[in-house]
Amino acid sequence: MTEPDDRSAEGRGGLNRASERGDDTSPDTAEARHRAFLRGFPAIALAIFVAAVDQTAAATALPAIAAEFAAVEQVSWVMVAYLVAGTCAAPAFGQLGDAFGRRRLLFVALGITFAGCLINAMAPSLAVLIGGRILQGIGGGALLTIAVSLIGEALPPRERGRFQGHIASIYASAATFGPVVGGFLTQHFGWRMIFLVLPPLALLAMALATRLPRQPPARQTRLRFDWLGLGLFLLVVAPALVALDQARRMDAATLPLAGALGLLAVAALVVLIAWEKRAPDPLLPIGLLTEPSIWRTNLLGACVFGALVGSIAFMPIFLQAVRGLSPATSGLVLLPLSVCGAVGAMFAGRMMLKTGRSMVWPGFGLTWAAAMLAAIALVAHVAPIWLLPVMLGATAVGFGTSFPVAQTTVQVAAGAARLGAAAASVQLSRNLGAATGTALLGAVLFGGLALAGGEVATLFSRVVAAPGLVATLPAEDAAGLKAALSAAFRAMFLTAAGFCAVAAVLSTRVPLRRI
């Protein structure tokens, strides 16, 4: 090593890897690359926006898709296929980005998303549509992983937190925007129009990405891609997510299938771990994932997303069936839950930049979120309607403090050579946490209704499909159903609060506390 001081500074800051090639080692070059990254950051922001809208916009179109293809029972695969593909794409593109360069892989991911959107817009059948959603899921999972890795590659650790806060606010805004624009386009132009909005944005992101600085791959040796690991990982993720989707419905007819799929996923996981320990270039580097700062931070993220996504999934039912709100009003009440997370993310990102402290912010924020969810559990069924969005927004601020901290902590703990794998592990933990948390909250909710006895569970199943049904029930039946629902939702919200409390405790157990 001929220039230890320069290389050491670059390893700490992540601003410039030119010295690893033996040229352009001057601070002026590092600063120039930094400025080039800032010019190219709109491409990363737009890629995140495309991925978030891509993931959420189709949800409001599911009824129209089911009606056109006469496939009500199979239409949930439109969302499940995306989630499975995105979860599997995250570690694969993390490894590929380390080996071939993330700027190059960003173009590939945008191209895959572009192709998936066009296939979906012209899909003649549900099978083709699901195939297009798999492509979109691969593109979306890749975009999220590559975008956050590009930030870690170009910026010093403290500054990453600020930009991760920007990313969190963009993602939250896009996730909120997706269902709104999806519903509008479906109602006025047909569901296919949803998939025609994104290709121009993908092309614009490609044009902006040409301004990103060219960085050499973090990996300097030839990659032997872990195809067997990817296949085993798919055999873990697909059955597990389908099993969770079936189990959360608490339908006795589907529970045997869910159990069998769960056992298959567990068996595949055992084989996957054994293989990854001896694979030449493992898809899931076990050594990385077992480092305390990384696995505890990822588990923290899984708990947060389990509480957040699970709450978003079931809150509309509560608001419409228990509080009697219209679907439009329910959406407005939920808006702070999606948007205010960005406030917490921006705060935590800026405080990391200013102080260098990391886990202290989610420690406070997640404790606050747990307390707010507990308060919602106690008063949501009787509180004034105007108070609910305030409480949900306050909860989301607490959630948001963990978003940039988790990404930055895992990246710093992993080191520059493993940024792709680190970013993929965060995305993977969040996806699995969201799916598992939603299933567990659903089990608590449906289990509470089952304990209520009588026709409550049957009535609830009908209410889920048609929330306005409550208003048509006899007064005595409606009152009994609302009482049972209030008790079941109280247990569900307390469970979500428990997830946040676990995450808050984990934040105190992460060894890496300064960046």
Side-chain angles (χ1 to χ4, degrees):
M1 186 178 296
T2 60
E3 297 178 9
D5 293 338
D6 286 347
R7 291 169 67 92
S8 175
E10 287 160 9
R12 291 191 301 268
L15 285 172
N16 177 26
R17 290 197 177 87
S19 63
E20 297 174 13
R21 300 195 310 270
D23 59 350
D24 295 334
T25 58
S26 69
D28 290 342
T29 303
E31 181 62 28
R33 288 182 178 275
H34 186 214
R35 290 197 301 269
F37 168 80
L38 296 180
R39 289 196 302 271
F41 180 73
I44 297 175
L46 187 55
I48 290 289
F49 184 86
V50 168
V53 173
D54 194 21
Q55 183 175 2
T56 59
T60 50
L62 291 183
I65 293 171
E68 178 167 333
F69 294 127
V72 175
E73 294 297 324
Q74 295 80 31
V75 77
S76 64
W77 278 98
V78 172
M79 302 303 293
V80 173
Y82 185 100
L83 184 58
V84 170
T87 302
C88 293
F93 275 81
Q95 186 182 56
L96 292 172
D98 286 339
F100 298 108
R102 298 177 184 94
R103 181 180 182 273
R104 182 183 304 172
L105 267 293
L106 181 64
F107 287 101
V108 173
L110 288 167
I112 292 172
T113 300
F114 182 91
C117 289
L118 292 184
I119 289 172
N120 287 337
M122 299 181 291
S125 66
L126 184 62
V128 174
L129 179 64
I130 291 173
R133 288 294 286 172
I134 291 173
L135 272 182
Q136 283 187 289
I138 293 172
L143 286 175
L144 292 173
T145 298
I146 293 168
V148 296
S149 298
L150 281 166
I151 294 175
E153 181 179 62
L155 298 176
R158 287 194 183 185
E159 196 168 353
R160 291 178 205 171
R162 180 162 64 93
F163 279 87
Q164 298 289 4
H166 292 318
I167 289 295
S169 64
I170 292 165
Y171 188 88
S173 301
T176 304
F177 173 78
V180 174
V181 72
F184 175 83
L185 292 175
T186 299
Q187 181 176 344
H188 295 284
F189 301 100
W191 63 266
R192 295 178 188 273
M193 185 59 67
I194 293 174
F195 301 110
L196 292 175
V197 171
L198 293 176
L201 295 179
L203 291 175
L204 177 59
M206 287 183 185
L208 293 173
T210 60
R211 304 173 67 182
L212 284 168
R214 296 179 183 273
Q215 298 276 25
R219 180 191 180 94
Q220 300 300 317
T221 58
R222 183 174 179 270
L223 171 69
R224 289 168 290 183
F225 188 78
D226 188 10
W227 291 106
L228 179 57
L230 180 60
L232 289 169
F233 185 62
L234 178 61
L235 200 57
V236 173
V237 171
L241 292 180
V242 175
L244 290 170
D245 181 65
Q246 296 293 320
R248 72 180 176 84
R249 303 178 187 184
M250 295 299 288
D251 186 346
T254 63
L255 288 181
L257 174 62
L261 290 172
L263 290 175
L264 175 61
V266 170
L269 178 61
V270 172
V271 177
L272 174 64
I273 292 174
W275 165 250
E276 293 298 272
K277 286 182 178 179
R278 57 189 180 91
D281 292 311
L283 182 74
L284 302 173
I286 303 300
L288 172 71
L289 299 178
T290 55
E291 291 179 15
S293 289
I294 293 177
W295 76 258
R296 289 174 184 171
T297 301
N298 282 339
L299 183 57
L300 179 156
C303 290
V304 169
F305 271 72
L308 174 61
V309 176
S311 298
I312 291 175
F314 294 109
M315 273 298 291
I317 301 172
F318 171 80
L319 293 172
Q320 295 173 46
V322 177
R323 298 307 307 263
L325 302 183
S326 67
T329 305
S330 298
L332 292 175
V333 171
L334 286 174
L335 197 58
L337 190 58
S338 298
V339 173
C340 290
V343 177
M346 295 292 288
F347 169 77
R350 290 185 178 277
M351 293 306 294
M352 275 199 297
L353 175 63
K354 182 177 180 180
T355 68
R357 295 180 178 271
S358 54
M359 280 296 162
V360 64
W361 312 115
F364 288 123
L366 294 174
T367 301
W368 168 257
M372 291 303 303
L373 281 169
I376 289 172
L378 296 176
V379 306
H381 62 293
V382 295
I385 294 299
W386 65 265
L387 183 59
L388 294 180
V390 174
M391 298 179 74
L392 291 172
T395 304
V397 171
F399 283 141
T401 58
S402 70
F403 298 161
V405 173
Q407 280 285 4
T408 305
T409 298
V410 171
Q411 287 180 358
V412 173
R418 301 183 295 179
L419 278 176
S425 73
V426 175
Q427 188 62 30
L428 173 62
S429 65
R430 288 175 174 178
N431 281 353
L432 295 180
T436 304
T438 301
L440 290 175
L441 292 183
V444 170
L445 176 60
F446 282 92
L449 293 173
L451 291 176
E455 298 295 321
V456 171
T458 302
L459 284 174
F460 178 69
S461 298
R462 293 167 60 193
V463 166
V464 171
L469 179 67
V470 176
T472 67
L473 294 174
E476 183 177 348
D477 290 343
L481 176 62
K482 287 185 177 182
L485 284 174
S486 296
F489 274 104
R490 186 178 303 116
M492 190 204 79
F493 288 130
L494 287 174
T495 303
F499 288 166
C500 281
V502 170
V505 172
L506 284 168
S507 72
T508 68
R509 304 297 297 166
V510 175
L512 181 60
R513 310 196 63 79
R514 280 185 174 273
I515 57 173

